[in-house]
């Protein structure tokens, strides 16, 4: 079906989006409601003066009604159809799909974009894992250690009357191989982490955005200078941000950055932060803004020699990490669940109540953890409130009060009641 034939569908969609009744549009266009009904169901062609009159009444351009979807949307859907390679896909009716169901068409294009990005990431990871010499070497070491442990333990099980000296030697051998296995596993985990940091194909949109901020030191000078006008050029130029989901998330995050930069101008805020010893409560009171805005702004200040190390973590009510800026001396997890002892998660239990706690990371660094949770602003009284929490980490020399970790999988602390799984860094049970 050609674009011109679908003009009626676009007229109907536009009329309904502006909340106008069919009879009202017909009256303003000088035609009967029944004739307009035939036009909207693509049973009568329309053009010339009548099309111009209807477009003017609907506050849109005539070409928008006559030509329909832009070329980008059509090309995206045609690419999706080509990727599918399925004879059941009516590729020649893509314009009809866009004209009749623009929402579904946009969703299909978005999913096609995401599938392509995921397939590219998978191909890259598969190639890297297949040809990575370090990973191959470590895997051989793991298999060798496992084989040695299994062989030695089999001798001990199958030979109950073994000499005490030989039993001690076998026990020592198992201990040595177990240590080697733990060290090799930790090295593999560290290698995987480095691969993720260096990989251009990111597993999630959040990973892509984190890489974008890490490359810039979490300070975006273009937004500091131009505000929200710099967002779209930044996204187009960012090699890390690809795919519809990542771009949408980047727009939301960078828009929030621009709002914070406008409310808390860089030079004045940086001077005030240094004068007030980076106290977020004092800064929030001085500028009349909420604590989470101050948290975010402090985390985006350019690094100064006399300023303390500052980190930031935000999450939603489910505990899922949304933004992360790891400070030196505190490794934040890139994947999976974080340490349940973080004050960030305790703040979710008492929204609106800020807390201050001195903590010590598993690396031995001390931080003041400022935490607060609160609802995201909303205008609908019937909507379920969306709660988000933030934790600002400011390096300190105060005596630590609470030990916390990164995530159980790589936390070396023992005898932790909050531990969910054994650490791969533990050498002893």
């Amino acid at each position: 079906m050609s674009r011109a034939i679908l003009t009626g569908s676009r007229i109907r969609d536009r009329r309904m989006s502006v909340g106008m009744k069919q009879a009202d549009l017909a009256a303003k266009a000088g035609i009967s409601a029944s004739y307009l009904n035939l036009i909207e169901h693509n049973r009568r062609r329309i053009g010339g003066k009548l099309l111009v009159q209807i477009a003017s009444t609907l506050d849109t351009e005539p070409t928008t009604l006559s030509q329909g979807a832009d070329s980008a949307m059509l090309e995206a859907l045609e690419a999706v159809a080509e990727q599918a390679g399925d004879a059941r896909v009516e590729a020649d009716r893509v314009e009809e799909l866009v004209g009749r169901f623009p929402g579904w068409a946009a969703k299909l294009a978005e999913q096609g974009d995401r599938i392509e990005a995921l397939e590219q990431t998978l191909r890259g990871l598969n190639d890297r894992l297949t040809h990575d010499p370090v990973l191959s070497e470590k895997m051989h070491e793991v298999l060798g250690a496992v084989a040695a442990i299994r062989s030695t333990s089999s001798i001990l099980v199958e030979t109950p009357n073994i000499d005490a000296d030989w039993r001690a030697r076998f026990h020592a051998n198992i201990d040595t191989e177990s240590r080697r296995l733990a060290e090799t596993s930790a090295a593999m985990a560290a290698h995987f982490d480095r691969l993720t940091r260096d990989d251009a194909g990111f597993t999630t949109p959040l990973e892509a955005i984190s890489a974008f901020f890490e490359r810039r030191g979490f300070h975006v000078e273009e937004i500091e200078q131009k505000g929200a006008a710099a967002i779209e050029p930044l996204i187009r130029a960012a090699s890390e941000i690809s795919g519809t989901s990542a771009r949408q998330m980047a727009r939301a995050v960078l828009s929030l950055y621009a709002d914070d930069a406008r409310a808390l101008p860089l030079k004045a805020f940086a001077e005030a932060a240094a004068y007030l010893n980076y106290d977020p409560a004092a800064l929030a009171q001085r500028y009349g803004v909420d604590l989470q805005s101050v948290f975010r702004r402090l985390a985006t200040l350019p690094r100064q020699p006399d300023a303390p190390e500052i980190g930031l973590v935000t999450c939603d009510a489910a505990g899922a990490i949304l933004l992360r800026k790891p400070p030196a001396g505190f490794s934040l997890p890139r994947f999976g669940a974080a340490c349940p002892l973080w004050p960030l998660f305790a703040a979710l239990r008492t929204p609106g109540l800020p807390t201050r706690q001195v903590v010590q990371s598993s690396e031995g660094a001390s931080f003041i953890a400022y935490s607060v949770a609160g609802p995201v602003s909303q205008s609908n009284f019937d909507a379920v409130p969306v709660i988000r929490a933030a934790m600002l980490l400011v390096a300190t020399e105060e005596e630590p009060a609470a030990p916390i970790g990164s995530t159980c999988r790589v936390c070396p602390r023992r005898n932790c009641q909050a531990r969910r799984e054994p650490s791969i860094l533990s050498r002893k049970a």
Side-chain angles (χ1 to χ4, degrees):
M1 188 175 288
S2 68
R3 295 191 180 192
I5 293 177
L6 290 171
T7 301
S9 297
R10 299 187 196 99
I11 292 175
R12 182 178 69 252
D13 292 339
R14 177 63 182 175
R15 175 179 61 78
M16 295 178 68
S17 68
V18 300
M20 183 179 294
K21 294 181 179 179
Q22 191 179 68
D24 294 339
L25 176 58
K28 292 180 179 181
I31 59 177
S32 66
S34 59
Y35 187 71
L36 178 58
N37 185 64
L38 293 173
I39 291 175
E40 289 189 350
H41 285 82
N42 303 304
R43 295 176 183 173
R44 293 291 186 274
R45 290 183 176 274
I46 179 175
K49 184 177 179 180
L50 179 57
L51 177 62
V52 173
Q53 177 62 35
I54 289 179
S56 176
T57 304
L58 295 175
D59 192 24
T60 188
E61 294 295 327
T63 54
T64 302
L65 299 177
S66 61
Q67 296 181 9
D70 59 20
S71 58
M73 174 66 76
L74 292 173
E75 290 175 2
L77 288 175
E78 288 170 355
V80 171
E82 184 178 349
Q83 291 172 3
D86 191 335
R88 294 173 297 177
V89 176
E90 300 89 347
D92 58 334
R93 302 184 65 182
V94 62
E95 171 62 17
E96 181 180 359
L97 172 64
V98 175
R100 290 182 176 274
F101 309 103
W104 280 108
K107 190 66 176 177
L108 283 172
E110 177 184 340
Q111 288 182 344
D113 193 9
R114 177 162 176 74
I115 289 172
E116 183 180 6
L118 290 174
E119 289 178 345
Q120 181 179 357
T121 300
L122 182 60
R123 287 192 296 269
L125 290 174
N126 181 65
D127 182 68
R128 175 162 285 180
L129 293 176
T130 303
H131 301 94
D132 191 328
V134 175
L135 182 61
S136 177
E137 178 185 353
K138 296 301 180 185
M139 183 59 70
H140 281 296
E141 291 179 10
V142 168
L143 294 175
V146 170
I149 293 172
R150 181 177 180 181
S151 176
T152 305
S153 59
S154 296
I155 294 174
L156 290 173
V157 171
E158 296 171 0
T159 314
N161 298 323
I162 193 171
D163 182 78
D165 289 339
W166 280 102
R167 183 182 297 276
R169 292 181 185 181
F170 285 135
H171 285 161
N173 184 54
I174 290 177
D175 179 70
T176 299
E177 293 298 333
S178 298
R179 292 173 181 270
R180 184 163 71 96
L181 179 60
E183 291 171 354
T184 304
S185 300
M188 288 181 66
H191 182 63
F192 276 123
D193 186 64
R194 287 192 297 272
L195 289 180
T196 305
R197 292 178 183 272
D198 298 337
D199 197 358
F202 300 96
T203 305
T204 66
L206 180 59
E207 279 292 299
I209 293 169
S210 295
F212 170 84
F213 277 104
E214 286 176 3
R215 180 167 61 86
R216 294 171 168 270
F218 296 89
H219 179 76
V220 186
E221 188 61 32
E222 293 88 339
I223 292 183
E224 300 288 351
Q225 295 178 359
K226 301 179 181 178
I231 293 177
E232 289 302 324
L234 275 171
I235 293 175
R236 288 194 296 269
S239 58
E240 303 92 339
I241 301 174
S242 62
T244 303
S245 298
R247 287 191 291 268
Q248 289 179 348
M249 186 176 292
R251 288 188 187 96
V253 173
L254 292 175
S255 294
L256 194 59
Y257 188 114
D259 292 341
D260 293 338
R262 184 176 61 254
L264 306 169
L266 178 59
K267 183 178 179 181
F269 182 79
E271 293 174 352
Y275 178 76
L276 296 173
N277 199 28
Y278 300 92
D279 185 339
L283 288 166
Q285 185 175 8
R286 177 166 184 165
Y287 283 94
V289 297
D290 63 277
L291 281 171
Q292 295 203 36
S293 296
V294 173
F295 286 7
R296 294 191 299 268
R297 197 63 176 133
L298 285 171
T300 58
L301 291 178
R303 189 76 171 90
Q304 299 295 330
D306 56 345
E309 190 70 31
I310 295 177
L312 175 69
V313 189
T314 68
C315 74
D316 60 17
I321 303 300
L322 302 177
L323 289 176
R324 53 185 297 281
K325 179 195 176 184
F330 192 171
S331 299
L332 301 180
R334 301 182 70 84
F335 303 102
C339 174
L341 299 179
W342 284 4
L344 172 72
F345 303 128
L348 289 170
R349 297 194 295 268
T350 55
L353 180 64
T355 62
R356 178 188 186 276
Q357 185 178 9
V358 181
V359 298
Q360 185 184 52
S361 70
S362 56
E363 291 96 323
S366 299
F367 298 88
I368 302 175
Y370 300 96
S371 304
V372 68
V376 177
S377 60
Q378 56 193 68
S379 57
N380 188 347
F381 289 99
D382 298 326
V384 176
V386 177
I387 305 295
R388 291 182 179 172
M391 178 174 69
L392 186 74
L393 297 165
V394 181
T396 183
E397 295 182 358
E398 292 186 35
E399 190 68 19
I404 61 176
S406 171
T407 182
C408 290
R409 187 168 179 269
V410 294
C411 180
R413 300 187 191 278
R414 290 181 288 179
N415 303 322
C416 177
Q417 295 182 349
R419 179 173 292 282
R420 293 181 297 264
E421 60 178 324
S423 171
I424 63 173
L425 303 181
S426 298
R427 294 190 174 186
K428 296 182 180 179

